[in-house]
Amino acid sequence: MANARVRVGFFSLLILHPAVCGCFNDPVEQLAVWSEFLTLDEVREHLPVLAEHGADLYLAVRPDDLNDALRAFLVDAESAGVAVRPWLQLPEMGIWLNEDNAAEFRAFSGLFLDWADANGIAVEWLIYDIEPAFDYAVALAQAASNGEIGAVIELVLSHRDPARYRAALATMQDMVGDVHARGVRAMAVTLPWIIDDLSDGDPDIQDLFDTPFADIPWDEISVILYRETFEAFFGLPLSPGFVARYAESIHRRYGEDAQVAIGTISGPGLLTAPGYTDPFDVSLDVSAARSAGIRSVSLFSLDGMILAGGVERWLAAASGSTLHYAYPDPFASLIRLGFGGLDALLNEDNAVLSGTP
């Protein structure tokens, strides 16, 4: 695997060279790091290096975490100059925000903000990771890894429920309204194929994956572009052009302030493939994102950085100037074509059901 990664990196350098012609991208303007499984004491140890690189911390927070230890950590992070965005999770209810738990996430949002107010903690952002419920995601990943395309399609179609989708969407709209009313901004994180669902104005793909995203007044969006994870899911080799291809669409739709999440680094993560071991891969993905006009990048994860040689080397790889990247990925186009075809079939089905010619 290491030798293969070196070969990919070397090949990437070769194809970059003729496209560069002396052109460099400026460094990212906003850098963030996700932390999911580390203890607060383990994260605290790395606050100085995060501050040195101007990196925000996206910290997983669960209901059981609302205690004095979290309060002390947030105070320490503020003193260290590290901005923390709580990344809300409900481990007992599918972990990530989706159709199954929209009401529970709305309640947890209020509970967290009440706790923050009671403890004198200023909160600027809440992060909502919009993904299928964990059990559903596991079933999808297993079917995909076995090459059972028919089973994948059957599974996602079984989750098609427009009425349930609309109800969850309304709850999530109310949730973000509640958060805004308290002077807090809401950030949404979503999967790349949700971006492919936005062009025709209907939420068919979002409905299939139980992930309402559009028509909610998010203050910032981030799109998950974990190359090796999606390589494993689709069974296709993906170059940094995968990041570039989606980043271009994200930039066109949401502008320079949209974010891409890249990684994964090393192994830690739920339903993520074994990740990068060489920081050069992060540099390539940052290059692809910056070349598409994206200014904000987040790295998953701090957990993996610690296991794969230390936090400093990974932040350094994401922080500097990068060469311009101008090469598309044919497999990224194939993936997007597949979701576009599925969306088109659903549109035809909708027309038949509604009697529209």
Side-chain angles (χ1 to χ4, degrees):
M1 174 64 76
N3 288 337
R5 178 63 57 196
V6 169
R7 288 195 296 272
V8 170
F10 181 69
F11 176 73
S12 299
L13 272 179
L14 290 178
I15 64 173
L16 276 171
H17 178 73
V20 171
C21 300
C23 296
F24 288 83
N25 299 309
D26 291 333
V28 296
E29 297 181 22
Q30 180 181 343
L31 180 63
V33 175
W34 301 85
S35 178
E36 187 165 18
F37 303 114
L38 298 171
T39 68
L40 294 176
D41 285 339
E42 288 171 324
V43 179
R44 183 181 281 107
E45 180 182 346
H46 300 284
L47 290 176
V49 69
L50 292 175
E52 180 183 348
H53 286 273
D56 294 348
L57 176 66
Y58 296 169
L59 179 70
V61 175
R62 307 158 186 103
D64 290 345
D65 295 327
L66 304 187
N67 52 37
D68 290 342
L70 178 60
R71 180 189 181 280
F73 174 83
L74 294 174
V75 170
D76 289 347
E78 182 179 14
S79 297
V82 176
V84 178
R85 296 189 185 186
W87 167 24
L88 302 187
Q89 296 185 347
L90 291 175
E92 304 302 320
M93 298 178 184
I95 303 177
W96 309 293
L97 174 59
N98 50 69
E99 286 182 16
D100 291 348
N101 56 26
E104 289 80 6
F105 260 92
R106 184 183 183 190
F108 183 32
S109 300
L111 177 67
F112 176 83
L113 293 176
D114 288 343
W115 173 85
D117 287 345
N119 285 274
I121 300 296
V123 179
E124 295 186 12
W125 289 90
L126 291 179
I127 297 177
Y128 298 95
D129 187 357
I130 306 169
E131 299 188 51
F134 183 72
D135 290 346
Y136 180 19
V138 168
L140 278 172
Q142 288 177 342
S145 65
N146 293 332
E148 300 170 353
I149 304 303
V152 170
I153 294 174
E154 182 179 355
L155 180 58
V156 297
L157 289 177
S158 73
H159 282 254
R160 189 182 189 189
D161 190 336
R164 191 165 180 266
Y165 175 89
R166 289 192 295 269
L169 173 63
T171 300
M172 291 167 65
Q173 290 170 331
D174 291 340
M175 177 186 71
V176 173
D178 295 343
V179 169
H180 285 165
R182 300 183 68 160
V184 178
R185 290 178 283 182
M187 175 181 176
V189 186
T190 194
L191 297 163
W193 46 83
I194 301 306
I195 300 303
D196 295 322
D197 189 39
L198 303 179
S199 59
D200 62 358
D202 64 47
D204 289 333
I205 302 297
Q206 296 166 77
D207 184 11
L208 294 184
F209 288 90
D210 298 345
T211 51
F213 171 77
D215 302 314
I216 299 172
W218 305 113
D219 299 287
E220 187 175 331
I221 67 103
S222 180
V223 179
I224 298 168
L225 298 178
Y226 301 158
R227 270 199 287 139
E228 294 204 342
T229 293
F230 293 125
E231 280 186 357
F233 186 85
F234 293 109
L236 298 170
L238 297 174
S239 74
F242 170 77
V243 174
R245 182 84 164 82
Y246 271 105
E248 289 167 358
S249 296
I250 295 162
H251 180 259
R252 280 197 302 269
R253 181 170 289 274
Y254 293 104
E256 294 176 333
D257 293 330
Q259 184 188 98
V260 298
I262 61 176
T264 60
I265 297 168
S266 188
L270 295 173
L271 297 179
T272 57
Y276 298 152
T277 58
D278 187 343
F280 182 63
D281 284 300
V282 162
S283 294
L284 288 173
D285 286 353
V286 170
S287 173
R290 289 295 291 120
S291 298
I294 297 294
R295 301 187 302 183
S296 178
V297 171
S298 59
L299 306 180
F300 189 89
S301 65
L302 185 66
D303 316 50
M305 293 178 185
I306 294 169
L307 293 175
V311 178
E312 167 64 36
R313 68 196 293 257
W314 292 96
L315 291 179
S319 298
S321 299
T322 56
L323 300 175
H324 184 71
Y325 191 96
Y327 285 84
D329 187 303
F331 295 113
S333 298
L334 181 62
I335 291 168
R336 303 192 72 174
L337 182 64
F339 280 105
L342 177 60
D343 203 7
L345 289 174
L346 291 171
N347 290 342
E348 291 182 9
D349 190 33
N350 291 337
V352 170
L353 291 174
S354 66
T356 303

